[in-house]
Amino acid sequence: MADNNPPTNGHGVEIRLEEVSKRYPGQKLPAVESVTMTIPAGETVVLVGPSGSGKTTTMRMINRLIEPTSGRITIGGQDVLGLDPDLLRREIGYSIQQAGLFPHMTVGENVGMVPSLLRWDRKRIRERVDEMLDLVNLDPAEFRDRYPRQLSGGQQQRVGVARALAANPPVLLMDEPFGAVDPITRGVLQDELMRLQADLGKTIVFVTHDFDEAVKLGDRIAVLGERSRILQYDTPEAILANPADDTVAGFVGAGAALKQLTLRRVREIEVSQVPTATVDEPPSALRERLGSRRGAIGLVLDRRNRPLRWATARDAGAVSSLERAGRPVEDSVAMSSTLQDALEAILTDDDGVAVVTGSRGEYVGVVDIDTVMNTIKALREEHADPGEDQS
Ligand SMILES: Nc1ncnc2c1ncn2[C@@H]1O[C@H](COP(=O)(O)OP(=O)(O)OP(=O)(O)O)[C@@H](O)[C@H]1O
Ligand SMILES: [Mg+2]
């Protein structure tokens, strides 16, 4: 990693911390005490924990903005303590709250800072700056020559991410990068980061106070206690389903079961079927398929198999064409929707059912509250503590 052409080609590499401690001068207790963890290559690992638990200290030891008192840190197998700290920092992207942009430098100069330090030629830097601004959804022509104070908070944060990515580092350290923006902008920036990461496959260490943000972004979450003690280090699913102790449970907060629903997609669950008929069929066709079961509900589909109306046998008996039977289908969920979206649709539907549609809007099946309940139950069992009584 230490030469000017990292062999990683910008793809994520593994980071290992082995019994890493930091004691600040004059402090009785270490700020970070004997932390051991492996951050797998290409994954996003989120550190969450209360204020003062040592998250920033832990993160900044990885690029040696803070020197560890003891322990070992390797990046892609290389001991970082044996590297020149200046070189090391140029090869690790770093983005912080309030973006940390240099106010006297333009957006373009900020983004191009590390490439200039690495002595890229001017043309290559200029191209890279524009490419990075594009990547974070800022029009280069509009933003390249502005100063940070001429940008909104969310735009500054985007520039911060562009700057961190400019030299194509294999590792990205992000310390509450979206902490200072409003919830809506934060959601947008989180979505952008997820999209970027799906393409780039960096190893990202991300610090946040916000457990929901951790669940959304993390492949894994490390819940830290005092002195960065690792209380639990696992996938969001596993932590939500089975918090290691009361402190972690407190951090997860209320609604863990609901949060799990944001992690599952409709395509992962088994949808059920209801009787269907197309608009061109006689109403009696739907009535027959629905049979005599009281309250049973079926779907009228249009000629391209898209759901049109909900109808009971009685509804079908009251009309001469299925075009007018029952009530219109107001809402549907896609295979890529989260189970939370599906639950929302179920709760707002009169009959408590949500229609699932495919990529062309065609009928695929339905989900109801039982489907969602079974999924939550299955998740809980999947992640159950083996020592726990499961009867
Ligand atoms: N330069 C320093 N000198 C002395 N103590 C420090 C220094 N920097 C941090 N600390 C202490 O180390 C501990 C961990 O601080 P750190 O900034 O790593 O916490 P954090 O988890 O990032 O907190 P926050 O969520 O508030 O950002 C705190 O008790 C802090 O007061
Ligand atoms: Mg901090």
Side-chain angles (χ1 to χ4, degrees):
M1 294 228 337
D3 41 75
N4 279 350
N5 259 329
T8 62
N9 209 8
H11 291 299
V13 292
E14 182 185 85
I15 304 171
R16 289 172 73 105
L17 281 69
E18 288 167 35
E19 302 195 20
V20 174
S21 297
K22 175 65 188 181
R23 186 189 293 265
Y24 288 107
Q27 303 294 309
K28 248 208 216 121
L29 288 171
V32 172
E33 188 170 16
S34 198
V35 170
T36 297
M37 74 188 298
T38 299
I39 297 162
E43 288 200 2
T44 302
V45 167
V46 183
L47 311 181
V48 286
S51 186
S53 54
K55 303 178 296 295
T56 296
T57 303
T58 301
M59 168 172 276
R60 298 180 98 184
M61 286 193 285
I62 296 174
N63 63 358
R64 286 178 64 193
L65 279 168
I66 293 175
E67 293 288 343
T69 310
S70 59
R72 213 170 102 92
I73 300 176
T74 61
I75 299 182
Q78 267 196 296
D79 191 337
V80 301
L81 297 177
L83 301 176
D84 174 346
D86 287 331
L87 283 180
L88 176 70
R89 282 196 283 279
R90 286 171 206 169
E91 287 169 11
I92 295 180
Y94 184 52
S95 123
I96 56 174
Q97 193 170 335
Q98 319 281 21
L101 302 176
F102 296 108
H104 58 282
M105 284 162 68
T106 64
V107 165
E109 287 164 351
N110 267 287
V111 175
M113 197 188 68
V114 177
S116 330
L117 287 171
L118 294 172
R119 299 179 200 288
W120 290 17
D121 70 65
R122 291 205 3 226
K123 180 165 170 287
R124 184 166 165 223
I125 294 175
R126 202 162 45 234
E127 285 167 2
R128 185 66 178 170
V129 165
D130 285 5
E131 186 190 343
M132 289 300 104
L133 289 175
D134 259 334
L135 197 65
V136 297
N137 287 332
L138 293 173
D139 178 4
E142 191 182 340
F143 289 97
R144 192 197 298 120
D145 299 319
R146 287 209 207 165
Y147 286 89
R149 70 185 138 75
Q150 300 168 315
L151 266 53
S152 73
Q155 288 165 345
Q156 290 183 32
Q157 222 57 81
R158 288 195 177 99
V159 175
V161 173
R163 183 176 65 177
L165 288 170
N168 199 20
V171 170
L172 212 53
L173 307 180
M174 308 183 87
D175 194 351
E176 304 199 49
F178 311 143
V181 293
D182 65 88
I184 292 174
T185 307
R186 184 189 299 197
V188 172
L189 293 172
Q190 289 167 345
D191 290 342
E192 282 178 10
L193 180 64
M194 287 171 78
R195 175 179 56 77
L196 282 176
Q197 172 65 350
D199 291 341
L200 302 176
K202 307 286 181 194
T203 304
I204 301 181
V205 184
F206 191 106
V207 165
T208 182
H209 277 96
D210 176 354
F211 196 78
D212 292 338
E213 182 167 71
V215 168
K216 184 168 171 186
L217 297 177
D219 294 305
R220 279 162 222 268
I221 299 174
V223 186
L224 304 181
E226 273 176 28
R227 299 187 293 285
S228 276
R229 192 162 71 85
I230 298 175
L231 304 178
Q232 190 166 14
Y233 182 38
D234 213 327
T235 60
E237 289 89 341
I239 293 177
L240 287 170
N242 192 19
D245 60 25
D246 289 349
T247 316
V248 178
F251 230 93
V252 169
L258 284 176
K259 285 173 193 168
Q260 278 179 287
L261 295 180
T262 65
L263 292 167
R264 292 287 152 140
R265 306 275 157 181
V266 171
R267 77 168 78 82
E268 296 171 56
I269 59 169
E270 207 169 307
V271 299
S272 16
Q273 297 300 322
V274 294
T276 62
T278 58
V279 272
D280 294 329
E281 290 185 276
S284 57
L286 185 60
R287 262 168 63 200
E288 275 161 32
R289 282 167 215 158
L290 281 164
S292 55
R293 205 158 56 83
R294 268 197 63 193
I297 191 157
L299 272 171
V300 179
L301 308 179
D302 72 8
R303 289 172 198 113
R304 289 163 65 186
N305 255 351
R306 293 174 300 198
L308 217 53
R309 302 183 77 81
W310 286 112
T312 61
R314 198 159 152 193
D315 293 331
V319 289
S320 57
S321 159
L322 283 178
E323 232 167 341
R324 287 182 303 280
R327 62 184 175 89
V329 172
E330 306 275 3
D331 202 8
S332 65
V333 293
M335 299 291 267
S336 58
S337 301
T338 65
L339 284 195
Q340 190 182 44
D341 297 330
L343 183 63
E344 177 73 20
I346 290 165
L347 293 177
T348 50
D349 181 78
D350 289 342
D351 292 284
V353 213
V355 190
V356 180
T357 52
S359 55
R360 290 174 314 281
E362 78 280 10
Y363 168 74
V364 173
V366 300
V367 287
D368 60 16
I369 197 78
D370 290 336
T371 325
V372 176
M373 293 277 294
N374 288 336
T375 307
I376 295 180
K377 227 170 113 187
L379 278 169
R380 206 179 292 139
E381 278 160 15
E382 190 181 314
H383 296 289
D385 178 349
E388 224 170 72
D389 182 11
Q390 287 174 45
S391 62

